[in-house]
Amino acid sequence: MSTSKIKAFQVQEHCEGAACIVFHQHAAAARRIGAGELNLTFEDDMSVTRCPEYDQYAEQGNVPYQVLLADGWCFTCYHCGNPIKAEAEDDEGNATNIEAVICIGEAFYCNAACHSHKQADIAQHNAKAEAFKQQLLSLRPDLTFTAFNGAYPQLYCTATFTFEGAQYSGSVAYDKAGELDWRVSNTDLPAWQTYQAQRQGEAA
């Protein structure tokens, strides 16, 4: 039995114009896969178009982004948010240098400078999350912290904890004033108040 040839299809949604290339034998299956990649459902408004010029990339599973840029595709810089396309210009009127574009996974950067700035932003973000963690560990060594959140790409620094007598996990985060806001469930509130009172009594 002969095996159907793997073909390239462009799946594009019609709201924001997002698109992807899917390799499959059948258009219906390509539509389903493409919908998943674009966070759509099979019934959403989208089109499936054959792209025989990309069939040659079926074995590697993706079309090189340099080829897509040369063919008029547009991406967004993961740092500055500027469009990355062959005919685009930056704020100073400089045309996009396709050779300078950096692609890491699904993240695109205009050039090495944008990539470096993004990495610096991530490092700063993670440093704040680590400072938050160390602050809690230093401030409340009596609590058992079960999770720390806030490292990139998480937006906010939060943590969960338990204490003697707790039935559920409590949580802590910064409030709008930048102060630590400790929260426990209503069920655990009496136990938390007792625990806090005993702790303060021991410290007196």
Side-chain angles (χ1 to χ4, degrees):
M1 180 183 294
S2 61
T3 304
S4 299
K5 177 184 176 181
I6 301 294
K7 307 170 187 177
F9 296 90
Q10 175 179 304
V11 181
Q12 182 172 18
E13 58 89 15
H14 294 159
C15 180
E16 298 182 355
C20 62
I21 298 296
V22 177
F23 296 98
H24 206 280
Q25 295 97 328
H26 307 291
R31 177 188 177 95
R32 182 172 58 253
I33 295 171
E37 292 189 15
L38 299 174
N39 295 319
L40 304 172
T41 67
F42 188 82
E43 293 75 19
D44 284 334
D45 185 20
M46 72 185 86
S47 60
V48 181
T49 308
R50 270 286 285 128
C51 297
E53 68 273 23
Y54 298 148
D55 287 352
Q56 60 184 302
Y57 304 108
E59 185 174 350
Q60 71 185 55
N62 62 81
V63 182
Y65 67 88
Q66 297 93 335
V67 173
L68 294 175
L69 286 170
D71 287 348
W73 283 58
C74 179
F75 301 94
T76 301
C77 180
Y78 201 50
H79 170 64
C80 69
N82 285 335
I84 300 175
K85 54 184 179 180
E87 68 274 18
E89 295 182 348
D90 60 21
D91 296 336
E92 298 178 354
N94 300 312
T96 298
N97 180 2
I98 295 180
E99 296 301 320
V101 174
I102 295 176
C103 177
I104 301 177
E106 297 182 355
F108 287 83
Y109 302 91
C110 298
N111 46 45
C114 274
H115 177 254
S116 295
H117 286 310
K118 184 63 177 182
Q119 297 311 301
D121 289 345
I122 292 175
Q124 184 179 31
H125 184 98
N126 288 339
K128 290 181 179 178
E130 181 62 23
F132 171 75
K133 175 181 177 179
Q134 295 304 321
Q135 178 186 13
L136 294 182
L137 292 174
S138 175
L139 183 65
R140 296 302 301 264
D142 56 299
L143 299 177
T144 300
F145 289 96
T146 54
F148 293 96
N149 306 303
Y152 183 85
Q154 296 168 329
L155 296 178
Y156 304 106
C157 291
T158 64
T160 55
F161 63 91
T162 61
F163 58 95
E164 185 178 350
Q167 298 184 42
Y168 305 98
S169 292
S171 65
V172 57
Y174 291 123
D175 60 19
K176 294 182 179 180
E179 301 295 329
L180 291 174
D181 181 21
W182 301 84
R183 299 191 178 190
V184 298
S185 68
N186 288 334
T187 300
D188 283 337
L189 186 57
W192 173 249
Q193 293 172 336
T194 299
Y195 180 83
Q196 289 287 79
Q198 291 177 343
R199 176 173 176 270
Q200 292 172 0
E202 292 173 357

